[in-house]
Each structure stands twice: as structure tokens, then as C-alpha cells.
């Protein structure tokens, strides 16, 4: 059996994905705590945000920033949506 759809990541891609996943985990927990929401709702907010789109774009360098910094950007985005 050969899986022709398996995509192998380069070491740089693995590091990038690892950093992004760590930030997503952290900001999801921060969202849950600050807004008193469930995990699935928090994940939905994160994954559908402009902030996540920027985080997944290596050219922005956002994945090099702290989780707290990214969370502040996400909160600003959420404020814009509310208004």
C-alpha cells in the first residue's frame, strides 16, 4: 500500500507549523478564560479570524511573536467586529 497523498514537510515547515499550533493553543485558552466561552467556540473564533490568516502566512512573521501579543491583535479584531 502506498499513500500518494502524504505530504512530507521540510524541517522549516515543521518548525513553522509547531510554532503556529503552540500560539493557537495559547490564544484559545486565553479566549476561553477572558471571554468565559467553551473550547469549540474559542477554536472557531481563532480559526475564522483574520489574525489566524496572518499567523499562517510566514511572510508576516507573526508566528515569531509571543502568544500574548497575538492575543492582543485578536482582541482588537474582535472589538472591530462588535462595533
Amino acid at each position: 500500500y502506498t499513500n500518494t497523498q502524504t505530504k512530507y514537510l521540510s524541517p522549516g515547515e515543521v518548525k513553522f507549523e509547531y510554532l503556529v499550533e503552540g500560539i493557537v493553543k495559547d490564544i484559545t485558552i486565553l479566549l476561553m478564560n477572558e471571554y468565559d466561552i467553551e473550547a469549540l467556540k474559542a477554536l472557531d473564533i481563532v480559526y475564522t479570524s483574520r489574525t489566524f490568516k496572518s499567523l499562517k502566512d510566514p511572510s508576516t512573521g507573526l508566528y515569531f511573536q509571543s502568544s500574548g501579543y497575538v492575543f492582543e491583535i485578536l482582541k482588537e479584531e474582535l472589538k472591530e467586529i462588535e462595533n
Side-chain angles (χ1 to χ4, degrees):
Y1 171 77
T2 304
N3 183 352
T4 57
Q5 295 185 5
T6 300
K7 180 180 185 266
Y8 294 99
L9 301 175
S10 72
E13 290 171 318
V14 170
K15 181 179 178 184
F16 171 74
E17 290 297 324
Y18 178 78
L19 291 171
V20 169
E21 288 173 12
I23 292 171
V24 166
K25 175 188 66 83
D26 292 345
I27 64 176
T28 299
I29 292 168
L30 290 167
L31 266 178
M32 290 169 57
N33 292 335
E34 187 155 325
Y35 292 88
D36 193 29
I37 58 177
E38 298 293 322
L40 288 178
K41 177 67 176 170
L43 285 166
D44 183 57
I45 290 169
V46 170
Y47 284 121
T48 59
S49 69
R50 289 190 323 264
T51 302
F52 178 72
K53 185 176 180 180
S54 294
L55 184 61
K56 287 290 290 181
D57 179 356
S59 70
T60 67
L62 192 56
Y63 67 99
F64 275 130
Q65 302 301 320
S66 71
S67 298
Y69 179 78
V70 177
F71 183 59
E72 291 301 319
I73 293 172
L74 179 59
K75 287 195 322 187
E76 288 300 316
E77 179 181 342
L78 295 175
K79 286 179 189 173
E80 290 173 15
I81 293 169
E82 288 176 359
N83 296 331

